[in-house]
Amino acid sequence: MHATQSSHRPIQPLSDQLISQIAAGEVVERPSAVVKELLENALDAGATQITVRLEQGGVKRIAITDNGRGIPPEQMPLALARHATSKIASLNELENVATLGFRGEALASIASVAQLTLTSRTADAPHAWEIVGNHNAQVAPSSGAVGTTIDVQDLYFNTPARRKFLKTEQTEFGHCAEVLRRIALSRPDVAFSLTHNGKTVDHWNVTDIAKRSAHVLGNDFAGARLPIEAQAGPLTLSGFIGLPTAAKARADAQYFYVNGRFVRDKLLTHAVRSAYQDVLHGDRYPSYAISLDLDPALVDVNVHPSKIEVRFRDSRAVHQFVFHAVQRALAQTSATAHGVAPAPTPASSSVLPWLREQQQTSFSSQFAGSGGFGVAQTTANYGALFSTSQTDRPAFSATFTDTVTGSPVDTIGLPSNSTMSDEEEHPLGFALAQLHGIFVLAQNRKGLVLVDMHAAHERILYEQLKNALDSDAMQVQPLLIPVTFYADEVEVGTATESQDILRSLGFDITPLSPTTLAVRAVPALLKNADAQSLARDVLRDVREFGGSRILVERRNEMLGTLACHTAVRANRSLTIPEMNALLRQMEITERADQCNHGRPTWVQLGLSDLDKLFLRGQ
């Protein structure tokens, strides 16, 4: 290495300009960093309307105007001075900071690497005032409404090396727009406007978090999200989390806020990810907009110059709180998570399948045979059922009477839109038929429900296994005749060494010889599965993950494998009562909307969706 001239210089203080430029290297990383700092200042000033104007991705110009409190003219030079702020005055206030900005270095850093003009007016001032350049400049009268405008032009004009590291105009604009989206999402009570190169790109009116999150994250998120509300001591969590079935290939729709500040925190991200692991498919990423509020004294936001990282005083407690809150929200099914459950079509379990066929044909025909039934009356025109508007459909019912005795036997039909009684509110409706031995077709008030019977049954069994293991209540089914099978030395050794683990899982697998294992008992929930396959799978998982880890880290993965063995297989014919039993079990099972791998177990086709398929009303 060559010695540099600086190594022979005496130690000397740096100039204010150079200190600010060094600070700018941390604070003003790119145009989006300027946007972030100025937006935070505007919100701290109580602004309810903020306009962001950008040119050439923010490199040429960033002008942000707010209607906040404004800055008195005598304080404007201090606003551009290093480490001057109105937001903290003591160490105690620093440890309890409740504002977004507080370091007092942003404006000075920006002014050191760009042409900056600050214009501001307070409510009691007759006109606005302006300062150009830095804190050494003079304040002069100007024009403008109450609030503040900060105009930053020619970013890095005096540090060309930094400018070379900037990306294309569109890329830099994208970063700026993302910063605005993050902040707009946290403050639905503030209106924001964004223009780029003179064109309006986006505008958000004052609204609530439900509508603002739909605007920022898109209609797809709005149509597939769950509300989350939780509180424990000083911790409060609120917002929306996306349904697992709407997860994305990229983690680009994850917004987490701590006391209103957007953060990227590994602890919080891990907590949310862990809560989703039981319902997420593959390498997909959930979408969410979550806000964590707590006492400012319990979190340190002064960890990084960009203030995007935080440190919690009790990180474990925060992690567990967030994890359990998100997990509980995901445990809901559509029956409870989407407001009023769709009311079903009532039907008696005694209705025979052929009676449903009768409903689709003539209501005046009679069925000949032993104990035959005939239609006695209908209370509405059958053709009216096919009205294109669901709200226009009248009540319809058909009463079936015994043709010999004349007494009523059963009634089936579609109710009017009056409120259904509690006992009739089955969100998944009632089974109509089975399709190719794979799907269950059911009808509810909204329309048609399609159920993947294997995936649904797999989730039901999986949740039952988890609950049984958690409550130490795993029921065991002894086998009348033990199932024996050939096993290699590793399988026999695993069974011998892991008797306690296997018993806790509901298995009795013992060696009969150096090459033979006997299965004497299995979990009662899995009694219909192939005992040999179950034994081989559980021994493989115990061997691969280790006895202690299998009950903690890899427990759910193993239970999912076991549930898959017993779940009803494709091409198995189900009766109508069996199908309805599956629907009822889904309605009371947590996370029943997704299988163990994150895929949907059922979908709803509304009457309007069916109308579109047949071009009705067009």
Side-chain angles (χ1 to χ4, degrees):
M1 293 179 62
H2 297 286
T4 61
Q5 186 178 1
S6 61
S7 63
H8 303 294
R9 291 176 180 165
I11 299 174
Q12 56 188 351
L14 300 175
S15 67
D16 284 349
Q17 174 74 1
L18 185 54
I19 291 174
S20 294
Q21 289 177 335
I22 292 173
E26 295 181 335
V27 178
V28 191
E29 181 183 2
R30 62 195 324 157
S32 61
V34 176
V35 173
K36 174 181 179 292
E37 297 291 343
L38 299 186
L39 284 174
E40 290 180 346
N41 283 345
L43 293 173
D44 286 340
T48 58
Q49 292 182 338
I50 300 176
T51 300
V52 180
R53 288 169 290 166
L54 305 174
E55 293 181 17
Q56 296 181 16
V59 178
K60 179 65 177 176
R61 188 185 188 197
I62 300 171
I64 295 184
T65 300
D66 67 64
N67 66 342
R69 290 184 293 272
I71 306 172
E74 66 274 11
Q75 294 184 18
M76 290 174 70
L78 277 174
L80 299 183
R82 287 190 302 110
H83 304 309
T85 180
S86 63
K87 300 170 186 178
I88 58 171
S90 66
L91 179 60
N92 181 62
E93 290 184 354
L94 177 62
E95 293 176 345
N96 292 272
V97 64
T99 53
L100 296 174
F102 56 87
R103 290 171 172 267
E105 60 184 325
L107 290 182
S109 298
I110 295 168
S112 71
V113 292
Q115 305 284 0
L116 186 146
T117 300
L118 168 60
T119 306
S120 192
R121 178 183 174 183
T122 58
D124 58 352
H127 57 78
W129 294 83
E130 178 182 279
I131 183 171
V132 180
N134 55 45
H135 66 287
N136 293 319
Q138 295 295 315
V139 178
S142 183
S143 60
V146 173
T148 301
T149 295
I150 298 181
D151 197 337
V152 179
Q153 299 191 36
D154 297 322
L155 190 61
Y156 301 131
F157 78 99
N158 55 358
T159 51
R162 291 293 308 279
R163 197 161 187 164
K164 290 179 182 178
F165 285 94
L166 297 179
K167 304 300 182 182
T168 65
E169 175 181 324
Q170 196 59 35
T171 298
E172 295 300 339
F173 169 72
H175 285 292
C176 292
E178 176 61 18
V179 165
L180 181 57
R181 280 193 292 269
R182 292 173 184 169
I183 291 180
L185 187 55
S186 71
R187 294 295 302 270
D189 58 322
V190 178
F192 295 88
S193 292
L194 173 64
T195 64
H196 185 221
N197 294 336
K199 296 181 179 179
T200 299
V201 176
D202 221 329
H203 178 78
W204 294 283
N205 291 318
V206 173
T207 184
D208 55 36
I209 185 60
K211 293 180 181 177
R212 179 62 61 85
S213 60
H215 193 161
V216 175
L217 275 74
N219 292 330
D220 289 343
F221 176 77
R225 65 185 179 185
L226 297 170
I228 183 169
E229 292 285 343
Q231 186 170 5
L235 305 176
T236 301
L237 198 70
S238 61
F240 294 94
I241 58 175
L243 291 174
T245 48
K248 305 178 65 176
R250 298 173 54 197
D252 59 353
Q254 299 183 344
Y255 296 85
F256 210 116
Y257 300 87
V258 175
N259 289 346
R261 185 190 310 277
F262 175 82
V263 298
R264 277 206 187 98
D265 184 83
K266 293 181 180 179
L267 177 110
L268 298 175
T269 302
H270 182 270
V272 177
R273 181 75 185 184
S274 298
Y276 270 91
Q277 69 176 357
D278 209 16
V279 292
L280 208 59
H281 176 52
D283 296 326
R284 308 285 288 179
Y285 295 90
S287 301
Y288 51 80
I290 310 175
S291 179
L292 174 66
D293 293 294
L294 71 166
D295 185 340
L298 300 178
V299 58
D300 183 4
V301 297
N302 195 25
V303 178
H304 189 274
S306 67
K307 303 187 290 291
I308 203 169
E309 299 175 11
V310 294
R311 183 181 295 119
F312 297 101
R313 181 164 295 180
D314 190 344
S315 58
R316 179 173 176 79
V318 172
H319 182 282
Q320 290 301 99
F321 170 69
V322 172
F323 167 74
H324 287 297
V326 176
Q327 189 182 54
R328 282 194 301 271
L330 290 171
Q332 302 178 82
T333 62
S334 295
T336 57
H338 294 139
V340 180
T345 299
S348 168
S349 59
S350 65
V351 177
L352 299 176
W354 65 264
L355 285 180
R356 295 188 176 276
E357 297 177 8
Q358 299 298 303
Q359 185 184 15
Q360 305 301 321
T361 56
S362 171
F363 288 93
S364 59
S365 63
Q366 293 189 353
F367 180 80
S370 176
F373 301 112
V375 176
Q377 61 178 337
T378 60
T379 59
N381 187 314
Y382 184 66
L385 288 175
F386 297 95
S387 165
T388 56
S389 171
Q390 183 178 357
T391 57
D392 293 337
R393 287 187 173 88
F396 166 82
S397 66
T399 301
F400 295 86
T401 59
D402 190 303
T403 55
V404 178
T405 65
S407 60
V409 177
D410 213 337
T411 302
I412 59 176
L414 181 69
S416 66
N417 296 291
S418 58
T419 302
M420 304 296 294
S421 61
D422 291 341
E423 62 268 22
E424 292 176 328
E425 288 186 351
H426 291 303
L428 296 183
F430 291 87
L432 298 174
Q434 192 178 18
L435 182 65
H436 286 292
I438 300 173
F439 302 104
V440 171
L441 278 64
Q443 175 180 299
N444 62 5
R445 174 176 288 186
K446 283 188 174 181
L448 180 67
V449 173
L450 296 175
V451 177
D452 182 330
M453 66 183 194
H454 174 76
H457 194 212
E458 185 178 351
R459 168 59 77 176
I460 292 168
L461 286 172
Y462 175 47
E463 292 296 326
Q464 290 175 339
L465 286 170
K466 285 198 303 180
N467 292 336
L469 198 56
D470 287 341
S471 59
D472 197 24
M474 185 70 76
Q475 298 293 317
V476 176
Q477 175 66 52
L479 301 182
L480 185 62
I481 302 176
V483 175
T484 61
F485 61 95
Y486 171 82
D488 58 30
E489 294 85 350
V490 176
E491 288 176 321
V492 173
T494 302
T496 303
E497 298 167 2
S498 308
Q499 285 296 303
D500 291 342
I501 296 295
L502 292 173
R503 276 194 292 270
S504 69
L505 294 171
F507 287 92
D508 182 352
I509 307 173
T510 55
L512 290 182
S513 75
T515 59
T516 307
L517 286 175
V519 184
R520 303 182 186 276
V522 297
L525 291 168
L526 307 179
K527 63 183 179 181
N528 295 324
D530 180 74
Q532 179 178 331
S533 297
L534 282 177
R536 288 192 183 280
D537 277 351
V538 74
L539 289 173
R540 182 200 62 214
D541 286 351
V542 170
R543 179 178 72 249
E544 183 176 347
F545 302 126
S548 59
R549 290 182 62 204
I550 197 69
L551 292 179
V552 182
E553 299 175 30
R554 310 305 296 242
R555 184 198 72 157
N556 290 352
E557 183 176 333
M558 181 200 63
L559 294 181
T561 301
L562 297 180
C564 187
H565 275 287
T566 308
V568 60
R569 295 295 179 184
N571 300 319
R572 174 183 166 185
S573 178
L574 299 181
T575 65
I576 292 291
E578 285 176 329
M579 287 186 257
N580 280 322
L582 178 65
L583 298 178
R584 300 294 79 79
Q585 194 67 45
M586 290 173 65
E587 290 167 350
I588 62 173
T589 300
E590 292 185 343
R591 306 172 188 86
D593 290 348
Q594 300 88 29
C595 75
N596 312 343
H597 315 292
R599 292 185 288 266
T601 58
W602 68 280
V603 295
Q604 174 85 61
L605 283 176
L607 292 172
S608 60
D609 299 320
L610 297 173
D611 285 342
K612 290 177 183 177
L613 290 176
F614 294 99
L615 305 180
R616 293 179 59 83
Q618 296 185 20

